[in-house]
């Protein structure tokens, strides 16, 4: 399976050293394999999620209603390991400039 956090950023047009420019991302995500949607999950307010998947290569794609720039074009490649939960942090672009 897959366990981790999703974040989004930047959250302001100008990022300042020492101040966070990303934030946890609560949304629904689709898991695709070979271009086919096979599962979905929703991250919590803190960005945390767990989704149970067989070992293999997948894409994680934000739902079209997710508050990021062009969600369908932000697929992130993920590889799930053979045993246990694979830990990840996935970042998405808000489009703020």
């Amino acid at each position: 399976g897959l366990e981790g956090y999703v974040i989004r950023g930047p959250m302001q047009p100008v990022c300042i050293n020492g101040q966070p420019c990303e934030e946890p991302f609560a949304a629904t995500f689709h898991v695709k394999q070979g271009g086919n949607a096979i599962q979905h999950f929703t991250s919590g307010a803190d960005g945390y999620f767990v989704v149970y998947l067989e070992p293999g290569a997948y894409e994680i794609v934000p739902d079209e209603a997710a508050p990021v720039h062009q969600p369908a074009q932000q697929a992130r490649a993920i590889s799930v390991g053979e045993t246990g939960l694979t830990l990840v942090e996935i970042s998405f672009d808000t489009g703020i400039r």
Side-chain angles (χ1 to χ4, degrees), residues 6-12 21-30 41-45 47 61-72 74 76 91-97:
V6 286
I7 57 175
R8 64 182 180 149
M11 297 313 298
Q12 54 202 23
C21 205
E22 298 177 323
E23 69 180 16
F25 184 16
T28 297
F29 298 85
H30 302 279
F41 65 91
T42 301
S43 58
V61 184
D63 186 76
E64 65 184 36
V68 292
H69 183 66
Q70 298 179 331
Q74 291 203 49
R76 300 292 187 256
S91 181
F92 294 93
D93 185 5
T94 60
I96 297 173
R97 302 286 183 260

Side-chain angles (χ1 to χ4, degrees), residues 2-79:
L2 196 59
E3 175 182 30
Y5 291 88
V6 286
I7 57 175
R8 64 182 180 149
M11 297 313 298
Q12 54 202 23
V14 177
C15 295
I16 300 168
N17 281 339
Q19 294 183 6
C21 205
E22 298 177 323
E23 69 180 16
F25 184 16
T28 297
F29 298 85
H30 302 279
V31 180
K32 294 186 174 185
Q33 190 173 47
N36 299 315
I38 60 164
Q39 176 117 251
H40 69 276
F41 65 91
T42 301
S43 58
D46 60 355
Y48 179 77
F49 70 92
V50 174
V51 60
Y52 296 99
L53 302 164
E54 295 293 322
Y58 299 91
E59 287 187 324
I60 307 297
V61 184
D63 186 76
E64 65 184 36
V68 292
H69 183 66
Q70 298 179 331
Q73 295 180 12
Q74 291 203 49
R76 300 292 187 256
I78 296 294
S79 186

